[in-house]
Amino acid sequence: MQISDLPYADPGRPDARSGPAFLRWLGRGQLGGQARSLAWGLVHFGGVAGLPYAVGLGVDAVVRRDGARLLQVGGLLLLLGVAISVGDAMLHRTAVTNWITAAARVQQLLARKTAELGSALTRRVAAGEVVAVSTGDVEKIGWFVEAVSRFLAAALTVVAICVGLLFYAPAIGVVVAVGVPVLALSVLPLLPRATRRADLQREKAGKATELASDTVAGLRVLRGIGGEELFLGRYREASQEVRRAAVRSARMWALIAAVQVLLPGALLITVIWYGSVLVLDDRLAVGELVAAFSAVSTMLYPLRHFQEIAMAYSFSRPSAARAARVLSLTRTDSDSETATTAGSGAVVSPPAPGGDLYDAETGVLAPAGRFTAVVCGDSDLAGRLAERLGGHPMDAAAGVRSALLGGVALDELPLDAARELVLVQDKDPVLLSGTLRQLFDVPASGCVTAGEALAAARCDDVLDALLQSAPEGVDDPMDARITERGRSLSGGQRQRLALARSLVTDPEVLVLDEPTSAVDSHTEARIAEGIAALRAGRTTVVLASSPLLLDRADRVVLVHEGRALPAGTHRELLRAEPRYRAVVTRETDEEQRRAGIGLAAPAGELTEIEESA
């Protein structure tokens, strides 16, 4: 896999059981790239390892005054220099390729999981953690993947140097062969503590990132209540905790680096001292001593990669664990069982068109082809109901299943099939930056044009506003640009554009959660007419308590204390159901008490209530 081939056509199905399992899965997916990097690493480190022997041969040639041999040594040094240069350049190229491709694979997996879970993702994982995983953690995982091949090449080179010294100068080679493993393993007792400190730093950094994300998201509200200084103080304290944790972690890694310098230095002094004794006793030639000294000096370079791999694994392990935790999330707890069933060939078939939508948890029924309004009186309950109607139950861990469409559970269907059948627009829709034309470039049936959807959502003033703010030369509002998250528009304008985007998709079932909460009453009445007209003959469910929307619905269902009461029209329920009237008209406690004991409101008062509703 080359960088130019990115993105992956299919990033694969990750092993997300744990952080190490995820890292192993990434490694198996890059065996070809790792092999190329290892080969070039052996060329580079092999050239470095060959330098001491070439120097030793050169010293021997000078001592013996052998010009021909000295010329051969010069050619060997030139060859080793070319191997070191070319090997280093290609090792860097292939290793960085491994890094980037691994990071790209993880980012694609995270993007796919985000698209699969939608808004359910941030309910299961903190937004700050998702940001940390998709940015800093991705880089750390890529670093470990990139460092593996360099470490393997360095380890093989160290082994080759030790074995070569055993044959070239056995007397001094034994000392080096015994000392090198001690050097390589000397930092192992320090790694657990360093890893714990690194984990603590990551944890505190993730919390600081989460706090920053929440603060930015609620900046407008904070300014309105004068809470900027309060949250700034909290973030300042969180950042100081991150700094202190980073300093403690850096101290431990500095100690490890010091050990990696001191012990090789001690080995080098030992080799010089012992080799000098052997030379004085005529048990070792001068060239062999120079070769041994050069070999130990050269060995310090590949030994540094032992520290790097330890650091890379220490930093990437918690990052991989966080990524695996996000990637292991499923739409429901039954997804794994569904996948197993699908793998055996028994795939759940989508329901036939025209089926009713039914939520077993509350008993809400939305007949096919009808405009059904649901009144909950509790925004949290309405949000959970909307998620179940869309096939994404929030409380799946408690055994709650999604709604049934035509008798088939939506969470048992493949994600693409479920989304083609049911579209849910939550009460806080997001508008992506780009032109209005790009905003409406979504999967759709083709039966509803963008113009019809915009007209139904009463977006005339929105189009005018976009056209007025567009650059000179733009005369079509569809080519006007929308800023990030539609920040240049008012809340009502964003809400209407999001509604128009949902209408243009024309799904079999459309679920709208408070689609007009940010618009004025006059516009709301016109939007209610537009939805009813455009969605005629199509199943539409609106979760709202606005009388203007409820009056346009074919049937209205009140969910009281988690269960649906008998359905009726808005006016029927307003007359016959005091609990419904209490939610829709915001009755006072006294009015609810009178309704509860069966005291009917005066006729004039009831007429007044109906007219206001």
Side-chain angles (χ1 to χ4, degrees), residues 142 360 577:
E577 179 53 71

Side-chain angles (χ1 to χ4, degrees), residues 170-186:
I172 200 70
V174 173
V175 176
V176 176
V178 173
V180 167
V182 175
L183 295 181
L185 301 177
S186 61

Side-chain angles (χ1 to χ4, degrees), residues 368-370 508 532-539 554:
R370 304 285 297 280
E508 181 175 335
L534 192 64
R535 293 288 299 174
R538 307 286 277 168
T539 307
D554 297 327

